[in-house]
Amino acid sequence: MTTHTPVGRPLRPTGKFLQEDSRRHHRSLLLQQLFREGPASRADLSRSSGLTRVTVSDLVKAMLAEGLVAELGAPAESRVGKPPTLLGLSVDSTHVIGIDLSATDRFTGAVLNLAGEVQARHEVSLDGAVGTAAVALVHTLATDLMAMTERPVLGVGVGSPGVVDETGTVIDAPNLSWSGMPLAASLAETLGVPVFVANDANTAVLGEHTFGESGDGGLLVLRVGTGVGAGLVLGGSLLHGHLGAAGEIGHVVVDTEGERCACSRVGCLETVLAVPRLRRRLEERGADAAQVLAQVGEQLGIALAPVVGMLNLHEIVLSGPTELLDGPLRDAADRTIRARTMPVSSEGLLIRTSTLGEDVVIVGAAVLVLAGELGVS
């Protein structure tokens, strides 16, 4: 039974604690410790969590029975007296399904273990499907992925374009013609497992924060695909905003004389930076590709500079096709942000592409499930 040590970085817990959730909360504390720090003894878990040894022993017994944790034996170093038995998270005991709906031409997904490691992949071609036809493709993809593992499935996570509420309903996704689409509820009914749906940029920032190489400061992940959106983790917490629409930077107007956007406005950042629009401009300009990318990078920097100045971010991660985002575009955005903010605001700011590559949304979708079902993320 495979374990992973350590697995990832958790988000700070938010929200009110209810007494009836005490056992689940205490279980989450232990799982977070094993997830973040790796193997530990029962005594270690008691000290780090503040729980009594009796409570820890009871919870560990239940988790061993579930297969979520495994006994690894005594530590290598010798001690006087009976050595403690180390416990570790069994990352292959159960699997998670992660789905990414942000690409322009396909829906992709994967089966992952509890360490965020991909075990199997699958995708379906979009072929221009929107509305209920696109929903049917999501159901097909999820069903196929469920059949690709023999392990119990903890749940399904989905990163979707657009504004998504806390119930997993897609409030508005113009590029897919979804409005008030109860995606999580319909998938849960079909699949028979818990389903969590969130904005694709928010899932991307969860993936980068938990399994990527982000630092401890403010993190913004800019997701560039069919649309453009941002996810932010500040002080260890995901920023949702009023009505869950934080990060909708793709619909900030950057060119009042520009093209019409799917949201009906003119000149949104999405009209110049979204992958289909950007590729089209590059095809039209041919040899001027570097100049086009630099111009778009400057427009992106203009949009992001107030965000950096306001939040004093530590990292901006660009997530999408690296051949478009890395190089002239990223360099121009970096220069523009620094030119438009105080040195203290951008000092130490790192602008880079995602270490998780195109898997960032899929991995982040798995984090949605880990947070919702195990209390770790």
Side-chain angles (χ1 to χ4, degrees):
M1 192 172 292
T2 306
T3 59
H4 190 279
T5 168
V7 175
R9 180 190 295 110
L11 291 171
R12 293 182 184 175
T14 59
K16 295 182 179 179
F17 171 66
L18 303 177
Q19 186 60 41
E20 58 266 29
D21 295 330
S22 60
R23 184 174 179 84
R24 180 181 176 86
H25 174 70
H26 292 161
R27 178 173 176 263
S28 296
L29 289 177
L30 304 188
L31 288 171
Q32 281 188 32
Q33 176 68 17
L34 296 174
F35 185 79
R36 182 177 64 248
E37 303 294 343
S41 68
R42 290 169 175 79
D44 293 333
L45 292 174
S46 179
R47 283 190 294 270
S48 64
S49 66
L51 301 175
T52 67
R53 293 200 178 197
V54 172
T55 299
V56 168
S57 179
D58 180 50
L59 291 168
V60 166
K61 181 179 180 181
M63 291 189 292
L64 285 168
E66 292 178 69
L68 283 174
V69 300
E71 291 186 329
L72 308 179
E77 68 273 14
S78 59
R79 294 182 180 179
V80 177
K82 183 180 179 181
T85 299
L86 294 180
L87 301 159
L89 192 66
S90 297
V91 298
D92 290 308
S93 61
T94 184
H95 284 161
V96 176
I97 306 298
I99 295 176
D100 177 7
L101 308 182
S102 67
T104 59
D105 58 349
R106 64 193 183 280
F107 291 157
T108 60
V111 179
L112 305 97
N113 65 16
L114 301 185
E117 298 164 340
V118 173
Q119 308 298 299
R121 298 178 185 273
H122 189 46
E123 65 179 46
V124 293
S125 178
L126 196 51
D127 289 329
V130 295
T132 56
V135 174
L137 286 177
V138 181
H139 279 249
T140 297
L141 176 60
T143 301
D144 290 347
L145 286 165
M146 292 273 290
M148 294 176 71
T149 176
E150 297 179 354
R151 304 283 186 180
V153 173
L154 187 64
V156 175
V158 181
S160 169
V163 179
V164 184
D165 72 13
E166 61 184 10
T167 71
T169 295
V170 182
I171 301 301
D172 186 31
N175 293 311
L176 289 172
S177 297
W178 288 349
S179 179
M181 181 66 68
L183 189 59
S186 67
L187 282 171
E189 183 177 359
T190 297
L191 303 173
V193 298
V195 177
F196 303 86
V197 180
N199 169 266
D200 60 312
N202 282 346
T203 59
V205 79
L206 288 176
E208 194 69 38
H209 174 82
T210 304
F211 292 114
E213 297 179 1
S214 63
D216 294 327
L219 170 67
L220 181 150
V221 172
L222 186 80
R223 180 65 182 166
V224 181
T226 304
V228 175
L232 296 102
V233 168
L234 302 174
S237 297
L238 178 66
L239 182 65
H240 295 282
H242 180 57
L243 300 180
E248 286 295 324
I249 197 169
H251 297 291
V252 171
V253 174
V254 296
D255 182 5
T256 57
E257 302 297 322
E259 299 180 15
R260 186 163 297 278
C261 182
C263 74
S264 79
R265 293 172 181 80
V266 171
C268 291
L269 178 63
E270 190 169 291
T271 64
V272 297
L273 184 57
V275 170
R277 308 258 193 162
L278 186 51
R279 290 198 191 282
R280 190 189 71 202
R281 288 184 66 188
L282 290 171
E283 290 173 0
E284 293 171 350
R285 296 289 293 273
D288 295 331
Q291 183 181 357
V292 170
L293 292 170
Q295 289 173 345
V296 173
E298 183 177 355
Q299 288 175 298
L300 173 60
I302 291 171
L304 287 176
V307 181
V308 172
M310 179 72 73
L311 302 178
N312 190 206
L313 298 173
H314 177 252
E315 282 183 278
I316 295 175
V317 177
L318 306 181
S319 171
T322 55
E323 72 274 15
L324 298 178
L325 302 179
D326 209 5
L329 191 152
R330 177 180 58 83
D331 294 342
D334 193 330
R335 287 194 304 270
T336 304
I337 290 171
R338 296 181 195 282
R340 288 173 171 261
T341 56
M342 292 177 61
V344 69
S345 298
S346 56
E347 183 178 357
L349 174 67
L350 175 63
I351 302 178
R352 60 176 176 84
T353 51
S354 174
T355 58
L356 298 174
E358 284 300 292
D359 281 343
V360 65
V361 174
I362 287 175
V363 173
V367 175
L368 291 176
V369 179
L370 294 176
E373 290 301 295
L374 301 182
V376 299
S377 59

